[in-house]
Amino acid sequence: QVRLVESGGVLVQPGGSLRLSCVASGSIFILGIMAWNHHAPGKERELVARIFSGGNTQYAESVNVRFTISRDNAQKSAYLQMNSLKPEDTAVYFCSAHVMTFGAMAYGEYWGQGTQVTVYS
């Protein structure tokens, strides 16, 4: 079993900053791409940022420059530094990862439970 647990989401004012954390655990043989996604009520879940195992990153245009994704492979963790937050950033933020488990022959995609980020003055 693979588990992803997010933390760090809180209420912040516009212009504020947050740092979200995601820790992966379980039967992990290879931890591949890790990503942050968000889901606002009434909207579809969208990719925010992702990071490859070697450190290459990609961002949605709406968060580029303001957000930074990083990872610590030794800790099996990913982080999202969120700066200059806007009300439209309000959403549940989910961590996801591509994982090859012990004994598996292919990667599977796993998701955390989400953490709420609310940007409101």
Side-chain angles (χ1 to χ4, degrees), residues 5-46:
V5 179
E6 306 99 329
S7 62
V10 296
L11 172 67
V12 296
Q13 295 190 64
S17 297
L18 285 175
R19 184 174 185 256
L20 306 183
S21 298
C22 170
V23 180
S25 62
S27 185
I28 300 171
F29 179 50
I30 301 175
L31 181 60
I33 299 168
M34 300 187 76
W36 286 98
N37 315 265
H38 67 187
H39 190 187
K43 298 182 179 180
E44 295 296 317
R45 185 169 61 193
E46 296 181 336

Side-chain angles (χ1 to χ4, degrees), residues 51-64:
I51 183 166
F52 294 80
S53 59
N56 190 37
T57 58
Q58 296 176 334
Y59 298 91
E61 291 186 1
S62 63
V63 305
N64 198 9

